[in-house]
Amino acid sequence: EMKAWSVLEAQKAEKIFEDTPIKLHVALALYTGLRKGEICALRWSDFDFTNATCVVKRTAQRVSRKLIFKEPKSEKSNRRSLFC
């Protein structure tokens, strides 16, 4: 069973990662519910900044020390998320 972070824990994570290259990745995980593999597979073309959304079209997965990209497991996983 998954346990969600409290607001204070999320704020602490934001502060910890504030000046790191993965700041945006952490924010996406905290506020959209996207999974690690979904976040790592995002491309700039997946973002619609006018409507503050992004589209999950693929996932990243490490297999035999190689990074592969594939379709999400289910149709429900292929979705649009608000990021703002």
Side-chain angles (χ1 to χ4, degrees):
E1 187 176 316
M2 202 180 273
K3 182 184 176 231
W5 284 0
S6 69
V7 172
L8 291 175
E9 290 168 322
Q11 289 171 340
K12 184 176 180 180
E14 281 186 304
K15 188 166 181 78
I16 289 169
F17 292 100
E18 188 173 53
D19 296 319
T20 70
I22 64 167
K23 174 186 177 180
L24 179 59
H25 301 82
V26 171
L28 284 168
L30 288 172
Y31 299 109
T32 67
L34 293 176
R35 298 173 185 92
K36 178 173 59 173
E38 295 169 337
I39 293 169
C40 291
L42 287 171
R43 297 178 184 162
W44 284 114
S45 60
D46 297 329
F47 290 89
D48 176 352
F49 292 100
T50 303
N51 296 306
T53 61
C54 65
V55 180
V56 176
K57 297 179 182 177
R58 70 197 72 74
T59 63
Q61 186 177 10
R62 190 170 299 277
V63 177
S64 300
R65 306 191 103 208
K66 290 186 180 185
L67 191 61
I68 63 166
F69 296 91
K70 58 185 193 175
E71 296 281 321
K73 289 181 183 178
S74 69
E75 189 61 35
K76 194 174 184 180
S77 295
N78 199 349
R79 66 193 182 281
R80 182 174 302 274
S81 289
L82 291 173
F83 63 84
C84 163

